[in-house]
Amino acid sequence: MTPHIVILSTGSELTAGRSVDTNSGWIANQLFELGWKVKKFITLPDDPSLILSELKALQTLAKEKQVLAIMTGGLGPTEDDYTLETVLQFTGKTSYSVEKAKLRLTKIYESRGKEYKDILPSVFRQTHVPEGSKTLDNSVGIAVGFIESLGENSYLVCMPGVPSEMTEMFRRRLVPELKKLYPRENLVHKTKWLWNIGESLFQNEFIEPNREEFFKEAEWGVTANRGYIKCIFQSTNEGLLEKIINRLETQYPKIISDDVFQFVHEQLLKEGLTVSVAESCTGGLLGKKLTEQAGSSVYFMGGFLTYSNQLKTNLLGVPKDSIETYGAVSDEVAKAMVEGLYEKTKTDFGISITGIAGPEGGSEGKPVGTVCFGLKEPNGKVSVHRYIFPGNREAIRENASNTALFLLYQSLKFRTT
Amino acid sequence: MTPHIVILSTGSELTAGRSVDTNSGWIANQLFELGWKVKKFITLPDDPSLILSELKALQTLAKEKQVLAIMTGGLGPTEDDYTLETVLQFTGKTSYSVEKAKLRLTKIYESRGKEYKDILPSVFRQTHVPEGSKTLDNSVGIAVGFIESLGENSYLVCMPGVPSEMTEMFRRRLVPELKKLYPRENLVHKTKWLWNIGESLFQNEFIEPNREEFFKEAEWGVTANRGYIKCIFQSTNEGLLEKIINRLETQYPKIISDDVFQFVHEQLLKEGLTVSVAESCTGGLLGKKLTEQAGSSVYFMGGFLTYSNQLKTNLLGVPKDSIETYGAVSDEVAKAMVEGLYEKTKTDFGISITGIAGPEGGSEGKPVGTVCFGLKEPNGKVSVHRYIFPGNREAIRENASNTALFLLYQSLKFRTT
């Protein structure tokens, strides 16, 4: 029994583009893990008439199918918080103050040295819910959530928009209610990454030939990123999922990976290995990515940004001759960069990047997007790798820095010492 | 004449919560600068029946009011790209291949050593638009955008979902069309940046006291970013706007700026000055930001990522004693870093950053978020600057790298030679 799910966010800061709505995606992700797909996101400004007419439209839809509408936002204390008021108008009900929330609010005020009578009416309003609704406790903030009926087996869930309050309420209060309202089988999911392959090629090569065998009982999804695609499979049949992953690994042994960012971080920590970088066209993006996680100072030592040819020579000792003969973007220079890097930093891993991020600077043999990598491994082995990445300047730089991490991943996973 | 604007994004990765829709907010922001507010965002999965019924609902709405629906996504080459197909079904039209796009696609294939006949039909489909629609050229990727009628003075705009393609198409192709379709009084807008100040403080200090005098005839909007807020003012009264900006400059002389990223780029080029960086806690993020624009190789030479203390000493000559006495995050070390940087690179400007990005590593005197900067100016002067930034690790690193650019901006703008 799968409801037709709609997620509704309210907030003028969202429809004005001043904030990005991360709640809807987060909720959808959680629902996907419960085996449910969302049919629609709606975002509305803080405008009671627009919200009311949307609720009416959902009620009409609930006459045709089971609707689950999950709404966030508009339960706060400011004058542009309209959710409760609009729902009361919509249902024709009155509201009451939830005893537990009232006590919580009083305690919070007392802890700040204020009294019950100091509570502003607008703040107090947050403890109210429509009479007869199912309440959802807020263990982080004040505003109480609630579930209203939208029709037969159809529901409207209202939760605060503050992410920390909403996520806690969703996990602890809403999920158990949803499982009661819409009981179903347990779903398993698995994720793999494939590198430098397009979404459509993957679909032609892997999904289509296996559609009959795999994808009647399993669902698949692909997200395209810079340098890789993320493939997600889910099914209630865990054995089938394992078969899919095996086939995928057999078909793409050289370009498949798990979450590279997480693996590199964990494996470097686990093995106690260090890394440094020498970046040209990425200008620091690889270093930035290697230091995104707390604790990266254990393995990331630092490195060089040798954007100009002069600094390639002065700081890393890349021979001027090599740059003149082969060009700054060449296997030879990538190799000299990573060797010079090792001289200076003595880290277990070294990675160099030199490429043409464009839009200018391409040539026949080396189009825009050509990027050369040097990789120095703990056993002293130095290898060079060359790719041609698609896209604009930003895409090429993202591709290059992500692919550098993939090279590091492969070495961490498969190298022989 | 203001249309009722709806922004429609399609993509199962969005409604599954695997990606966050940044397009809708971006578009809303751009439309605000044109003087328009958005009434609704809708996000749908790649499901032709859901898309079709939404288009029909928009068409119905267009009987009551002028509707402008801006749709992104679903124009790519994969089988779950349904926009063109659905619009054809919706309008009852056939499609044709746009000559210019066909040529572009052929050229791209040739540059990769492939021929016209190699182009997959699914890829080729991206050059198609409905007959009689207004086309929107794509100068970044392949998929052509288009504008269809939804009724009298009502339009459906379809653009690719890839942000780099969409934003370019929006700015260069769509905005001129929108200005023709919905002519209106000329709205002027001015944007200023304020550094290290919160949105609500700005509102209390500047908007409220001036509400009567300024904001009856002018609109204001604020976007909060890492390190700065962007204040947008718009009005049909240009004199009033100038008054607002004057008041703002008088009130915030030390923290106000124009677009720092653009100014720094243009001014360095114009003055023929060079810059290099020495980064610790930002791990390369400042270098990455300084190389985002094509042509940055003229002024950005490179620099050092000295994440570990050892490399601060070995590469930049920061005295071990200083690190032990004052700590790696200190005015003294920031100064030694930028002086060591100058020794190695001899660039006109040098910037060093050392800070505590957290979540660990804070102390009483130096909480998480403390960041010290060294700035070396063309006249040889070296100064140090210290900030405490709010937020998590990512926010602190963004704040720090943006603030470094603000320091560079101030020096470029106000320095005495």
Side-chain angles (χ1 to χ4, degrees):
Chain A
M1 205 164 57
T2 304
H4 182 96
I5 303 179
V6 175
I7 301 179
L8 179 57
S9 317
T10 62
S12 296
E13 74 285 3
L14 302 174
T15 54
R18 292 197 299 272
S19 299
V20 171
D21 168 34
T22 53
N23 284 343
S24 302
W26 185 89
I27 292 173
N29 225 309
Q30 299 289 312
L31 292 173
F32 184 75
E33 293 189 8
L34 293 175
W36 289 340
K37 288 192 177 167
V38 174
K39 298 292 188 194
K40 191 177 187 175
F41 290 176
I42 298 170
T43 308
L44 296 176
D46 297 307
D47 178 333
S49 71
L50 290 176
I51 298 171
L52 185 62
S53 75
E54 200 62 52
L55 293 183
K56 285 182 180 161
L58 288 167
Q59 195 173 39
T60 306
L61 188 66
K63 284 173 186 150
E64 288 167 40
K65 45 187 110 180
Q66 292 179 17
V67 173
L68 171 63
I70 301 179
M71 182 167 170
T72 61
L75 292 179
T78 66
E79 65 168 22
D80 55 3
D81 284 306
Y82 290 110
T83 297
L84 179 66
E85 181 186 324
T86 311
V87 171
L88 293 178
Q89 198 184 339
F90 172 65
T91 55
K93 289 186 179 180
T94 55
S95 70
Y96 72 100
S97 171
V98 176
E99 201 54 38
K100 211 168 159 182
K102 216 155 72 180
L103 283 174
R104 226 178 105 72
L105 179 57
T106 312
K107 267 194 194 156
I108 292 174
Y109 264 59
E110 283 170 359
S111 77
R112 293 184 193 160
K114 291 176 176 179
E115 288 174 48
Y116 183 74
K117 67 173 175 48
D118 297 330
I119 301 175
L120 291 170
S122 60
V123 174
F124 190 70
R125 194 184 55 176
Q126 296 176 89
T127 66
H128 274 250
V129 300
E131 44 170 347
S133 64
K134 170 84 203 163
T135 62
L136 301 169
D137 286 354
N138 188 335
S139 51
V140 176
I142 302 300
V144 186
F146 54 87
I147 307 179
E148 261 296 343
S149 171
L150 266 182
E152 204 180 336
N153 275 322
S154 290
Y155 302 94
L156 169 68
V157 178
C158 294
M159 292 191 291
V162 181
S164 59
E165 299 180 22
M166 187 281 289
T167 53
E168 182 77 2
M169 187 180 289
F170 187 96
R171 281 201 193 102
R172 289 181 52 179
R173 312 294 176 190
L174 185 58
V175 168
E177 292 300 325
L178 291 180
K179 284 186 172 167
K180 274 187 254 167
L181 295 174
Y182 304 100
R184 60 166 297 163
E185 264 184 285
N186 250 353
L187 204 73
V188 187
H189 61 271
K190 292 196 183 285
T191 305
K192 284 283 173 184
W193 301 27
L194 294 177
W195 288 79
N196 294 300
I197 178 173
E199 227 176 310
S200 47
L201 184 61
F202 167 72
Q203 200 174 316
N204 288 336
E205 284 183 353
F206 190 79
I207 300 296
E208 294 313 331
N210 296 310
R211 197 175 276 284
E212 277 298 305
E213 189 182 348
F214 292 154
F215 299 111
K216 291 194 153 168
E217 225 191 307
E219 299 223 41
W220 63 279
V222 170
T223 329
N225 296 277
R226 300 305 190 190
Y228 60 91
I229 59 174
K230 221 164 124 181
C231 310
I232 305 165
F233 305 96
Q234 65 178 19
S235 172
T236 49
N237 179 343
E238 197 165 352
L240 178 66
L241 275 190
E242 270 162 31
K243 267 192 204 162
I244 295 175
I245 299 299
N246 279 343
R247 179 82 46 91
L248 199 67
E249 280 172 341
T250 312
Q251 191 158 340
Y252 299 109
K254 291 196 176 157
I255 62 167
I256 198 167
S257 78
D258 295 308
D259 181 336
V260 157
F261 300 107
Q262 203 49 40
F263 182 90
V264 163
H265 175 73
E266 284 167 10
Q267 200 65 18
L268 286 172
L269 286 178
K270 194 170 143 193
E271 294 196 47
L273 297 170
T274 57
V275 59
S276 62
V277 299
E279 303 186 50
S280 182
C281 66
T282 44
L285 187 53
L286 177 57
K288 185 249 173 185
K289 291 193 178 198
L290 276 165
T291 53
E292 266 169 20
Q293 302 207 40
S296 52
S297 61
V298 174
Y299 52 80
F300 183 70
M301 294 300 110
F304 297 81
L305 307 180
T306 52
Y307 208 62
S308 69
N309 290 341
Q310 204 187 335
L311 288 191
K312 285 184 187 72
T313 301
N314 292 357
L315 302 183
L316 296 173
V318 176
K320 259 190 171 173
D321 278 2
S322 297
I323 296 176
E324 274 160 24
T325 312
Y326 306 109
V329 178
S330 60
D331 296 350
E332 291 77 6
V333 168
K335 186 160 181 278
M337 280 171 72
V338 83
E339 284 167 348
L341 174 68
Y342 179 66
E343 279 304 303
K344 304 281 182 164
T345 65
K346 303 285 180 193
T347 54
D348 299 306
F349 285 100
I351 308 170
S352 66
I353 305 181
T354 178
I356 307 161
E360 307 296 319
S363 64
E364 192 140 331
K366 288 178 195 166
V368 167
T370 303
V371 179
C372 301
F373 299 86
L375 175 69
K376 183 258 159 191
E377 298 180 272
N379 62 5
K381 194 187 140 199
V382 170
S383 55
V384 292
H385 308 262
R386 180 189 285 232
Y387 289 82
I388 301 176
F389 298 115
N392 63 7
R393 183 175 176 86
E394 190 223 335
I396 290 164
R397 285 160 35 107
E398 283 286 337
N399 271 312
S401 53
N402 288 341
T403 298
L405 287 168
F406 178 57
L407 294 172
L408 187 54
Y409 165 91
Q410 285 193 309
S411 176
L412 276 164
K413 187 133 187 174
F414 303 113
R415 78 186 191 283
T416 47
T417 43
Chain B
M1 208 163 59
T2 305
H4 182 96
I5 302 178
V6 175
I7 301 178
L8 180 56
S9 316
T10 64
S12 295
E13 74 283 5
L14 301 175
T15 54
R18 291 196 301 272
S19 298
V20 170
D21 168 34
T22 52
N23 284 344
S24 301
W26 186 89
I27 291 172
N29 226 311
Q30 298 290 310
L31 291 173
F32 180 78
E33 294 192 6
L34 295 174
W36 290 340
K37 287 190 179 163
V38 174
K39 298 290 188 197
K40 191 175 183 174
F41 290 177
I42 297 170
T43 309
L44 296 176
D46 298 307
D47 177 332
S49 70
L50 290 176
I51 299 170
L52 186 60
S53 75
E54 200 63 52
L55 294 182
K56 285 182 179 161
L58 288 168
Q59 196 174 36
T60 305
L61 188 66
K63 284 173 186 151
E64 288 166 40
K65 45 187 110 183
Q66 292 180 18
V67 173
L68 171 62
I70 300 180
M71 183 168 170
T72 60
L75 293 178
T78 66
E79 69 162 22
D80 55 3
D81 285 305
Y82 289 111
T83 298
L84 179 66
E85 183 185 324
T86 310
V87 171
L88 293 178
Q89 198 184 337
F90 172 65
T91 55
K93 290 183 175 181
T94 55
S95 71
Y96 73 99
S97 171
V98 176
E99 201 55 38
K100 211 168 158 183
K102 215 156 72 180
L103 284 174
R104 224 177 105 71
L105 179 59
T106 312
K107 265 193 196 157
I108 291 174
Y109 264 60
E110 283 171 0
S111 79
R112 295 186 190 158
K114 292 177 174 179
E115 288 175 47
Y116 182 75
K117 65 172 176 50
D118 297 330
I119 300 177
L120 292 170
S122 59
V123 173
F124 189 70
R125 193 186 54 176
Q126 296 176 89
T127 66
H128 274 251
V129 299
E131 46 169 346
S133 64
K134 170 85 204 163
T135 62
L136 301 169
D137 286 354
N138 188 336
S139 51
V140 176
I142 302 301
V144 186
F146 55 87
I147 306 179
E148 260 297 341
S149 172
L150 266 184
E152 204 180 334
N153 276 322
S154 290
Y155 301 94
L156 168 69
V157 178
C158 294
M159 294 191 292
V162 181
S164 58
E165 299 180 21
M166 186 280 290
T167 54
E168 181 78 3
M169 186 180 288
F170 187 96
R171 282 201 193 101
R172 289 181 52 178
R173 312 295 176 191
L174 183 57
V175 168
E177 293 301 325
L178 291 181
K179 286 185 172 165
K180 272 188 254 167
L181 295 175
Y182 302 101
R184 51 172 296 163
E185 244 188 299
N186 243 353
L187 202 72
V188 187
H189 62 268
K190 290 197 183 282
T191 305
K192 284 284 173 183
W193 302 26
L194 294 178
W195 287 80
N196 294 299
I197 180 174
E199 223 177 315
S200 49
L201 184 61
F202 167 73
Q203 197 173 325
N204 288 335
E205 283 184 353
F206 189 80
I207 301 297
E208 295 313 331
N210 296 310
R211 197 175 275 284
E212 277 299 303
E213 187 180 351
F214 291 156
F215 299 111
K216 291 191 153 170
E217 226 190 306
E219 296 220 46
W220 63 277
V222 170
T223 329
N225 296 279
R226 301 306 190 189
Y228 60 91
I229 58 174
K230 220 165 127 183
C231 309
I232 306 166
F233 304 97
Q234 60 182 17
S235 172
T236 51
N237 179 344
E238 197 166 353
L240 178 66
L241 276 189
E242 270 163 30
K243 269 192 205 160
I244 295 174
I245 298 299
N246 279 343
R247 180 81 48 91
L248 199 68
E249 280 171 341
T250 311
Q251 193 158 338
Y252 298 109
K254 291 196 176 156
I255 62 166
I256 199 167
S257 79
D258 296 308
D259 182 336
V260 158
F261 300 106
Q262 202 50 40
F263 182 90
V264 163
H265 176 73
E266 285 167 9
Q267 200 64 18
L268 287 171
L269 285 178
K270 194 169 144 193
E271 295 196 46
L273 297 169
T274 56
V275 60
S276 62
V277 299
E279 301 187 50
S280 182
C281 66
T282 45
L285 187 53
L286 176 57
K288 184 251 174 183
K289 291 195 177 196
L290 277 165
T291 53
E292 266 168 19
Q293 303 205 41
S296 52
S297 60
V298 174
Y299 53 80
F300 184 70
M301 296 299 108
F304 297 82
L305 307 181
T306 52
Y307 208 61
S308 69
N309 290 342
Q310 204 187 335
L311 289 191
K312 285 184 186 73
T313 301
N314 292 357
L315 302 182
L316 296 173
V318 175
K320 258 191 172 172
D321 279 1
S322 298
I323 297 177
E324 275 160 26
T325 312
Y326 306 109
V329 178
S330 60
D331 296 352
E332 291 78 5
V333 168
K335 186 160 180 277
M337 281 171 72
V338 82
E339 284 167 348
L341 174 67
Y342 179 67
E343 279 304 302
K344 304 283 181 161
T345 64
K346 303 286 179 192
T347 54
D348 298 305
F349 285 100
I351 308 171
S352 65
I353 305 182
T354 177
I356 306 160
E360 307 296 322
S363 63
E364 191 142 330
K366 288 177 193 164
V368 167
T370 303
V371 180
C372 301
F373 300 86
L375 175 69
K376 183 259 158 188
E377 298 179 273
N379 62 5
K381 193 186 139 199
V382 170
S383 55
V384 292
H385 307 262
R386 181 191 283 233
Y387 289 82
I388 300 176
F389 298 115
N392 62 7
R393 183 176 175 86
E394 190 224 334
I396 291 165
R397 284 157 40 104
E398 284 285 337
N399 270 312
S401 53
N402 288 340
T403 298
L405 288 168
F406 177 57
L407 294 172
L408 188 54
Y409 165 91
Q410 285 194 308
S411 176
L412 278 164
K413 188 135 188 171
F414 303 113
R415 78 184 190 284
T416 48
T417 42

